[in-house]
Amino acid sequence: MAYPSAVRIVEVGARDGLQNEVSVTTEQKIALINALVESGLRDIEAGAFVSPKWVPQMADSSEVIKGIAKHPNVTFSALTPNLKGAEAALDVGIKEFAIFTAASEAFTQKNINCSINESIERFKPVVELAKANGVKVRGYVSCVLGCPYQGEVEPEAVLDVCKQLLAMGCYEVSLGDTIGVGTPNKVHTLLSLLLEHISADKLAVHFHDTYGQALANISKALEMGIATIDSAVAGLGGCPYAKGASGNVATEDVVYLLQGLGIDPQIDLERLAKAGWAICEALNKQPISKVSLALQAKC
Ligand code: HMG
Ligand code: MG
């Protein structure tokens, strides 16, 4: 089996995770992100410049980003759904914007209050602002393996949106299984189509673990050459516009899987687990990570 020789992890716990948990303080978010950096993570989604009426948990993103210790080798990114969000992100020094839409019309409407085509139009000035300021742009496509409102999503619909995001200037598109309904066969079908048109280095996988399939799905994606994986420390979170969706696959579990496959993600698993325990204590919950719980039991 030819797995990628190196894998990049994009840590989304401070955004995708905390957007769907009870609010923690700005200081607790800053402490989490600093601890994630210390564990070796180099791509960290640190917040979301979205409407505070829609997602109040992300309302302090500017303060969080101003407060974190900057590190020359770490990219801090943030969600920027429109020009207003992108300008606010730029103001606090964000070097990577993340624009997000979906392969399902119904989900796009619920999540960002517009159609897929309208979302692409909204992203144009965001990408222009990014280009003018040397900021990279990452794209997300939600509901790539199923939609909470529409059900089945055709792989061709995912391909269409991915192509549009790449054509407008995204360096990479992250494929969101927003409600975690995918299985390895579905991942295989989707990636087989996408990889006929898009090279593997322009794709990332972003799997929520609602049905416990995320690690199996990641394994399949790795086999097919995908080398960027999104995950959230302690398996935090979900999506406020996808009822019942649980958190992303836990970063601890992904790191353990990669180490077992002989791929060194250059992350200190113990430090990472400790970062997860601290934020879980603040949230008064247990980590949703078997690896984290196993390490905790040994302490
Ligand atoms: P809208 O209501 O259509 O926007 O929302 P609008 O332009 O009509 O503005 C309405 C109000 O929002 C105005 O304020 C604006 O100023 C304000 P008011 O006059 O009423 O006081 N506003 C903003 N405030 C702060 N920052 C902004 C901003 N834009 C407008 N950027 C909008 C459209 C996109 C803003 C809204 O729908 C929104 O914020 N949605 C965010 C939804 C969200 O964050 N969802 C979760 C993240 S996506 C996700 O989790 C999936 C992912 O993980 C992948 C996967 O798992 O599949 C990425
Ligand atoms: Mg997500």
Side-chain angles (χ1 to χ4, degrees), residues 7 33 61 87 166 207 216 239-240 254 286 295:
V7 167
I33 296 171
S61 288
E87 284 169 344
L166 290 168
F207 293 151
C239 176
V254 173
Q286 283 291 307
L295 293 174

Side-chain angles (χ1 to χ4, degrees), residues 12 15-16 19 45 48-55 58 79-86 88 99-101 107 109-114 122 140-144 174-179 206 208 238-241 248:
V12 298
R15 192 282 300 173
D16 205 346
Q19 76 181 9
E45 204 170 66
F49 292 87
V50 299
S51 163
K53 288 187 190 139
W54 287 61
V55 186
M58 291 289 108
L79 295 191
T80 55
N82 53 19
L83 189 58
K84 185 179 171 84
I99 55 181
F100 54 105
T101 185
F107 184 83
Q109 205 67 50
K110 295 266 186 200
N111 193 34
I112 50 175
N113 204 24
C114 62
R122 273 189 197 171
Y140 277 109
V141 181
S142 287
C143 301
V144 301
S174 180
L175 304 166
D177 183 10
T178 318
I179 51 169
H206 176 108
H208 287 257
C239 176
Y241 297 99
N248 293 86

Side-chain angles (χ1 to χ4, degrees), residues 127-135:
V127 174
E128 284 309 308
L129 185 72
K131 281 183 185 156
N133 289 279
V135 169

